[in-house]
Structure formats: structure tokens, C-alpha cells
Amino acid sequence: MATEKLTADIYAVGVNDHEIRLFEGQFPVPNGMAYNSYAILDEKVAVLDTVEASFGDEWLANLAAVLGGRPVDYLIVQHMEPDHSANILRFTQAYPQAVVVASQMAFTMMKQFYGADVAPAKLVVKDGSTLALGRHTLRFVTAPMVHWPEVVMTYDAADKLLFSADAFGKFGTTDTQEDWACEARRYYFGIVGKFGAQVQALFKKLDGLELQTICPLHGPVLQSPLADYLRLYGTWSSYGVESEGVVIAYACVYGHTKQAAEELAQKLRAAGCPKVVLTDLVHDELTEAVEDAFRYGKLVLAATTYNTGVFPAMENFIRHLTERGFCKRTVGLVENGSWAPAAAKTMRGLLEGCAELTFTSTTVCIRSALDDNSRAQLDALAKELCE
Ligand code: FEO
């Protein structure tokens, strides 16, 4: 990634990873991933975060290019997950005079990951601690579980800028031209989604701070107007409904449950449903399905019975929802079973701990293949979902 001047003395010095296919071993990233890092060249020089292990050379070269031979006074470590912390040791070897600035818990993790000598000079910061660089006085804002417990974010009142760690990040490199919300939403619900309460708590801390720019550790720097980004994060972290519509997620073996899902989608579209999303949990991308389940207000789960329970792809999908705090939605169930249908009961049981779910009064039961009786149930379900 080329370096970029963001303000009079703040630079982006991170890297783009165009080779990665699976972020954190589970999220497909067709447009790669950015590992951002920033440098503030004030009377004192501060660098915020390092980058993923494979990109140390490129990152140190970027940094050297903007420093123009100046020494670095501080390395601020906002987040210890290795996609950001892996080059701390290389940094402290290259800039041995720099003081490493982080939360106490981050220093504990630093020692665990990289050994006791990784940060020869340390400065522990807490919520509200400040660091004077000259024109900039940085204020640290702890953000536990956004999305690890040691995270601190960094606010700069001089340029009205928030270095937001993982928050407001997205999948995709910074040189990819694509809609921000789509991959930011998938990133949010995939990675941060479980911690909505902690994101809301962070917003309370940030309330009242003037913000013109957000510098996340992934994805593009966000510039004023920030209202749309903040509104979406507010909706996502409160598990609100972002878009009206129905997601039909199906897990099917021989095509009959799929047919029911497709017929339901047709009925909903014919009835004027504003948006119908049909997703095949066996063949489509799971993280997209999870994102959609949190985006829309209504979810239909359609699955075949399997081993007196529910087909594994559906069980896995529901687990991804529940572990991320799925709630506040309308849910309809479609089951298939040739001799002892049990999928609906099993799916409902898997959702038992979710708050504020409203189940439709209609549950569709298919005996092997659609017939007049189950089609009538689909009609009734479609009618309920359109009310
Ligand atoms: Fe991008 Fe939580 O690391």
C-alpha cells in the first residue's frame, strides 16, 4: 500500500494483503484485507499499531518513507490480535528508543505472544490517559471486547480524529472500490457481532467528542460526514433492523425443502414483500447468510429432519446466530420429515436463549415433498410474514 497523508502531520502507513483468501481462518475475503497503521509526525512522533506478520518489510519501509529519518518516540499498541501486533518486536528492534504505549492487559498479552523483551520501554495507559505530542494531545479510550479485552482507542482533538482499532473496519483492501456497508456489515457481525453491548458502551464514552475522521485498523479511513457510518454501527450494535425484508435460509438434501423455500420466496415477492433473500446454507457463503440474518427483520429457517434433529448445516447456522446474540426478530420455521419430522422443534429449541424473538403462528411441515396441505401452510406463512 502506498502511504497517504491524512492531515497536516498524520499519515497512513499500513499494507494491503491481496493474497489472503480466508481471514482468521473462516471469513472469505475475495478482495483481500488491509492492515492499517498510522504515524503522527508532531514534535514527538507516534506510530499506531503494526501489521500482520508477513508484511513487516513493507510496513517498515512505508514508515521510514514518511519519517524521513526522524526517530520514533512512541509505538501505540491499540489491539494485540496478531494481525496488528505481529511486528512489535521488529519495530522495537528498528526503533529501540521508542516507548511502547498500551493498556496493562495488552502488555500482558505482548509478553505472552512475543516474550518479555518485546517492549524495553513501556507506558501503561488507562481510560482517559493522555499523551502530549505537541500540536496533538492523544486521549485514550478503553474499548474492552471491541473486540478483545485489552483494546484502547485513541482520540485526537486537534484533528477531530478517532483511531478506532477494529471498530469501523471492513474486509477488503483499501485499494478496492466497493460499497463500504456490505463488507463492513459482514465484518461487524462476523467478528464483533457478539459484543453489541460493549460497542454501545463505547458509543456512550465517545458521545460529545467532535469527530471528523475515523481511522480503523482495517478498511478505508472514514471522513466526514460520518453520520451514516455511525448510524449503521448504532443499528448493528443494538441488534436493530437495518432493512425491511425476509431472509429464507434453507438446508436441504434432495431438493424438496429447497423447492419449498423457493415457493415461499415467490409468494412473498408476489405479496409485495420489500426484499426477499434466499440463501442455501449448504452451498452459499455462511458469513453472508449470518450478515443477512442480522440485517433484515424476518427470518425463515427451512430444514430437513436429520438423526431426529435438524440437518447439520442448519444447526451450524443457528449456532453462528446465537453465539452472536441473535434477537429482536420474527422467525418462521419450515421442516421436512418423511416419517418423524423433528426439525422445527429442534430449531426452536436451538433459538431458545435468544431474546425478543417472535415466532410465526404458522409452522410449515412437509412430508417428503410439497403437497396441497403444506402449500397451504406456505400460503399462511407468507401471509403472516407480510402483515
Ligand atoms: Fe483486526 Fe481483532 O483484529
Side-chain angles (χ1 to χ4, degrees):
M1 184 197 298
T3 61
E4 184 185 355
K5 189 171 185 175
L6 302 176
T7 72
D9 53 6
I10 298 180
Y11 295 81
V13 294
V15 298
N16 279 324
D17 184 349
H18 291 278
E19 302 303 318
I20 186 171
R21 288 292 167 264
L22 213 53
F23 183 66
E24 294 188 351
Q26 62 171 325
F27 300 100
V29 281
N31 290 322
M33 200 68 196
Y35 311 112
N36 296 340
S37 168
Y38 302 95
I40 306 173
L41 275 63
D42 203 339
E43 291 167 28
K44 300 278 189 183
V45 173
V47 174
L48 291 100
D49 295 295
T50 80
V51 298
E52 200 268 346
S54 313
F55 294 87
D57 288 344
E58 183 182 345
W59 171 65
L60 287 169
N62 285 350
L63 184 55
V66 302
L67 289 174
R70 289 189 64 181
V72 179
D73 298 283
Y74 301 104
L75 172 67
I76 298 167
V77 176
Q78 299 185 112
H79 183 19
M80 274 303 297
E81 195 158 15
D83 52 332
H84 311 293
S85 70
N87 278 289
I88 294 175
L89 183 57
R90 285 201 64 186
F91 174 89
T92 55
Q93 288 168 344
Y95 298 93
Q97 78 289 351
V99 175
V100 179
V101 180
S103 66
Q104 184 60 63
M105 188 176 284
F107 280 117
T108 301
M109 291 183 182
M110 225 176 283
K111 185 178 170 190
Q112 290 170 185
F113 273 115
Y114 308 115
D117 299 331
V118 65
K122 302 182 181 67
L123 176 63
V124 177
V125 292
K126 299 177 181 173
D127 198 44
S129 295
T130 58
L131 182 66
L133 302 179
R135 187 171 78 85
H136 304 271
T137 295
L138 304 180
R139 178 178 151 194
F140 299 100
V141 180
T142 54
M145 302 319 295
V146 187
H147 84 285
W148 275 18
E150 86 296 357
V151 170
V152 291
M153 297 183 185
T154 308
Y155 178 68
D156 169 41
D159 285 341
K160 301 181 176 60
L161 186 152
L162 178 71
F163 297 97
S164 62
D166 275 339
F168 298 97
K170 68 181 274 294
F171 298 125
T173 58
T174 55
D175 53 6
T176 301
Q177 300 300 316
E178 63 182 351
D179 174 58
W180 180 84
C182 181
E183 285 296 68
R185 185 189 303 105
R186 188 166 70 93
Y187 174 91
Y188 176 85
F189 284 111
I191 292 174
V192 191
K194 179 179 175 62
F195 305 110
Q198 289 85 350
V199 176
Q200 289 277 302
L202 172 69
F203 274 171
K204 286 202 176 83
K205 285 192 196 180
L206 298 178
D207 196 30
L209 295 182
E210 279 191 273
L211 270 186
Q212 285 186 348
T213 305
I214 295 175
C215 295
L217 287 178
H218 300 290
V221 170
L222 307 179
Q223 303 279 7
S224 183
L226 298 171
D228 282 350
Y229 305 113
L230 295 168
R231 178 181 54 76
L232 284 172
Y233 250 66
T235 301
W236 298 343
S237 57
S238 60
Y239 303 94
V241 173
E242 180 187 341
S243 308
E244 291 300 329
V246 181
V247 177
I248 305 170
Y250 64 90
C252 180
V253 182
Y254 292 110
H256 304 98
T257 307
K258 176 181 179 180
Q259 185 182 354
E262 289 174 344
E263 288 196 19
L264 178 62
Q266 285 170 3
K267 292 175 194 296
L268 289 168
R269 289 186 186 116
C273 180
K275 176 77 178 178
V276 181
V277 178
L278 199 57
T279 182
D280 176 345
L281 296 176
V282 175
H283 298 100
D284 293 342
E285 173 46 43
L286 177 66
T287 61
E288 298 275 3
V290 169
E291 171 196 350
D292 283 335
F294 282 95
R295 175 175 182 172
Y296 295 96
K298 296 174 182 175
L299 175 66
V300 175
L301 302 173
T304 188
T305 300
Y306 191 82
N307 285 342
T308 68
V310 68
F311 194 66
M314 177 60 78
E315 187 169 359
N316 185 45
F317 176 60
I318 294 174
R319 188 172 53 74
H320 274 77
L321 300 185
T322 56
E323 71 184 14
R324 288 167 172 78
F326 187 70
C327 61
K328 301 183 185 176
R329 296 295 186 276
T330 297
V331 177
L333 301 173
V334 177
E335 68 176 355
N336 196 343
S338 295
W339 65 95
K345 185 179 173 192
T346 305
M347 291 188 282
R348 192 163 180 147
L350 291 169
L351 291 165
E352 202 168 39
C354 297
E356 298 178 62
L357 293 190
T358 303
F359 287 90
T360 57
S361 57
T362 305
T363 292
V364 178
C365 182
I366 304 161
R367 291 288 189 157
S368 305
L370 282 169
D371 60 8
D372 289 347
N373 188 41
S374 49
R375 282 202 169 89
Q377 292 173 358
L378 283 181
D379 282 333
L381 179 57
K383 187 162 179 278
E384 267 195 74
L385 291 168
C386 289
E387 281 173 352

